[in-house]
Amino acid sequence: MTTQLLDDSSEQARLDARSDARFDARSDARFDARIAAEERVEPKDWMPDAYRRNVIRQMSQHAHSEVIGMQPEGNWIGRAPTLKRKAILLAKVQDEAGHGLYLYSATETLGVTREELVEALHQGRAKYASIFNYPSLTWADVGAIGWLVDGAAIVNQISLQRTSYGPYARAMVRICKEESFHMRQGYEIMLTLCRGSDAQRAMAQDALNRWWWPSLMMFGPPDAESAHSAQSMSWKLKRQSNDELRQKFIDQTVPQADFLGIDIPDPALCWNASSGHYNFGDIDWSEFQRVISGDGPCNRERLSHHVRAHDDGAWVRETLQAYRAKHPARSAERA
Amino acid sequence: MTTEAMPLFEVFIRSKRGLDHRHVGSLHAQDHRQALEYARDTYTRRGEGVSIWVVASSDIVASQESDSASFYDPLDDKPYRHATFYKLPDAVDNM
């Protein structure tokens, strides 16, 4: 009897496996056809596990970047040179929090919870943009961040408006609408400094010197060495390669630096008339690897600040939960 | 015999992949499943959609338009939140 049962169940398991495989193959083909036809993938669609994992990785990394990115700029809210600049910076940092929320919510459509995402960040399993591990030392850094970091983010995010995962693409459309303000306020700070005193110009130049190379690294490793690029491109999660986007950013930024009258810290930078693009020097990828793997100037500070803020906010979450437990009918009544 | 009015459901339709679900109207049905079928029959008879959401109208919590002045703050006094606030010279204005 026992043997018989075992045989039956293993036979059943074989049948199940075969039908699962047939189902997967059919679903896979449908998924591939959808991607090929430029259709968006929506939350309730069947999708390969690897695709789901990859979207969660990419979107949560993007969300974490928005949130951690508030720290270097938040550093200057209390020390902005005028009330106007302070109000602007405050509004910009608020926007970044909102962008993080759009992206976390879009990530949660894939069945992962906010708590899991935050935990992955705190345990160092999830990454965020390496650039936010650099310190914002002077007021000019606030200008450079808006101009270069948001400028680079825009290049990337415009491309992602056409990403294959629907909720991600829609979040990008919303975010891009707000980004232009961020970049322009940064450039305006740079322009004001560059049209100011020698000391102000020197401050702007110093900020460009420190932020230029990390901004180029924001696009990720060269295509040939990027761990996820080829797969993400074939899934149309990424629409343009790291190197293409980086080149686009350089081409748009060099004339902006020329207009400011400050120098991009790259002696190899020059116009290439035959390619129609700027040539640029070698990027120090060992620095990128060091910073992304946790050993940049501010990694520990950024993460410990986030953990502290999260822990400090625990009483709010606990209070909300206690309130809901005490007044289960309240929200229904009001409706 | 008098029958009780059936509950009301709000219907949202995604007209095409990649777009948001949009509210198209409402209908009465006995439960969610029936609402979904009625929504299909009523609102997608000419290929209007690829996906339908139905939500019990009683589950929708709405703000009141008459309260909008106090409920929303359009932040009109903060024009610097818009890109157009930053006047840049023509040479670099395309950002």
Side-chain angles (χ1 to χ4, degrees), chain A residues 258-327:
Chain A
D258 289 346
F259 187 83
L260 292 174
I262 49 180
D263 300 319
I264 288 176
D266 179 0
L269 189 78
C270 64
W271 178 249
N272 181 334
S274 62
S275 72
H277 296 290
Y278 284 91
N279 292 347
F280 56 99
D282 291 335
I283 296 172
D284 180 2
W285 290 110
S286 65
E287 175 180 329
F288 175 77
Q289 286 307 335
R290 200 165 57 244
V291 176
I292 200 80
S293 53
D295 212 12
C298 301
N299 295 57
R300 289 165 195 80
E301 186 185 332
R302 299 293 184 240
L303 208 54
S304 66
H305 182 87
H306 192 280
V307 170
R308 192 165 61 245
H310 189 72
D311 291 348
D312 286 351
W315 70 271
V316 179
R317 296 187 291 276
E318 285 159 14
T319 306
L320 289 170
Q321 197 175 319
Y323 183 84
R324 196 174 53 197
K326 202 167 167 185
H327 304 283

Side-chain angles (χ1 to χ4, degrees), chain A residues 34 40 42 45 170 184, chain B residues 17-18 20 80 83 86 93:
Chain A
R34 186 163 282 155
R40 297 288 170 264
E42 295 294 350
D45 292 342
R170 291 191 286 276
R184 289 174 74 94
Chain B
R17 289 178 164 277
D20 289 306
Y80 52 79
Y86 303 88
D93 199 31

